[in-house]
């Protein structure tokens, strides 16, 4: 069977739909990472803050839309979300949050080994072993979700509350 070149396809291939078993496995990893965060005592607001920051770095619009909404539902402030790309220049984040953000960024920008090791050492000053492991797994899972959504070109749709109706626009 001859395959049509990708450039001839009218839309992207949604990887989650093309291989549902692989998608379910990734979702299982995400659930286990959240479980590790719960067991380590990390609150859901911090988990969502990490998801947002990782998605900002990776440029994943779909995940940003999803996780900014989840962060707000979990009590995150608009101010902290607004300054998140420049979090190091503020005093709005606790030492533990800063350590978790430092570690998540180092894992996301994994190609710089020296920076990753340095940032990991800094994070260890404020994170227990369980917290360090949980944040690492959260970052690994979120990076994978970002890549699936970016490659799939998952659309961001307007929300009905913002437009007065669901218009289906991307």
């Amino acid at each position: 069977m001859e395959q049509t070149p990708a450039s001839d396809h009218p839309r992207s291939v949604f990887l989650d739909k093309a291989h549902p078993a692989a998608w379910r496995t990734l979702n299982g990893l995400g659930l286990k990472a959240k479980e590790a965060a719960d067991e380590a005592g990390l609150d859901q607001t911090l988990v969502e803050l990490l998801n947002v920051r990782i998605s900002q770095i990776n440029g994943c619009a779909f995940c940003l839309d999803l996780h900014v909404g989840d962060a707000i539902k979990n009590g995150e402030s608009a101010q902290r979300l607004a300054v998140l790309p420049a979090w190091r220049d503020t005093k709005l984040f606790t030492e533990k949050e800063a350590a978790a953000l430092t570690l998540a960024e180092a894992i996301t920008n994994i190609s710089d080994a020296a920076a990753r090791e340095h940032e990991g050492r800094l994070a260890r000053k404020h994170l227990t072993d369980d917290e360090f492991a949980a944040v690492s797994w959260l970052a690994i899972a979120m990076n994978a979700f970002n890549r699936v959504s970016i490659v799939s070109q998952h659309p961001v749709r307007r929300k009905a509350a913002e437009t007065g109706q669901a218009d289906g626009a991307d």
Side-chain angles (χ1 to χ4, degrees), residues 37-54:
D38 289 343
E39 290 172 4
L42 300 177
D43 67 38
Q44 191 59 36
T45 303
L46 176 56
V47 170
E48 290 305 331
L49 198 65
L50 296 172
N51 288 339
V52 171
R53 184 62 189 126
I54 293 163

Side-chain angles (χ1 to χ4, degrees), residues 26-125:
L26 179 55
N27 276 303
L29 172 62
L31 291 171
K32 288 297 183 184
K34 284 184 180 182
E35 187 178 295
D38 289 343
E39 290 172 4
L42 300 177
D43 67 38
Q44 191 59 36
T45 303
L46 176 56
V47 170
E48 290 305 331
L49 198 65
L50 296 172
N51 288 339
V52 171
R53 184 62 189 126
I54 293 163
S55 298
Q56 288 173 336
I57 293 168
N58 289 325
C60 184
F62 183 85
C63 295
L64 279 166
D65 183 55
L66 175 70
H67 291 288
V68 165
D70 288 347
I72 291 167
K73 286 177 196 169
N74 279 292
E76 189 53 76
S77 73
Q79 180 187 27
R80 285 177 19 124
L81 287 168
V83 301
L84 190 55
W87 66 268
R88 292 174 193 264
D89 298 327
T90 75
K91 301 274 189 215
L92 298 177
F93 301 91
T94 68
E95 288 181 341
K96 183 171 291 207
E97 289 169 335
L101 286 163
T102 296
L103 180 58
E105 287 182 357
I107 291 168
T108 300
N109 298 315
I110 201 160
S111 64
D112 186 344
R116 186 178 65 252
E117 289 175 23
H118 173 73
E119 300 290 288
R121 282 192 301 277
L122 290 177
R124 291 294 292 127
K125 293 179 181 180

Side-chain angles (χ1 to χ4, degrees), residues 99 119-133:
E119 300 290 288
R121 282 192 301 277
L122 290 177
R124 291 294 292 127
K125 293 179 181 180
H126 300 287
L127 298 174
T128 67
D129 290 350
D130 288 345
E131 291 168 339
F132 186 93

Side-chain angles (χ1 to χ4, degrees), residues 3-13:
Q3 291 192 347
T4 306
S7 62
D8 292 343
H9 285 279
R11 62 173 180 76
S12 298
V13 174

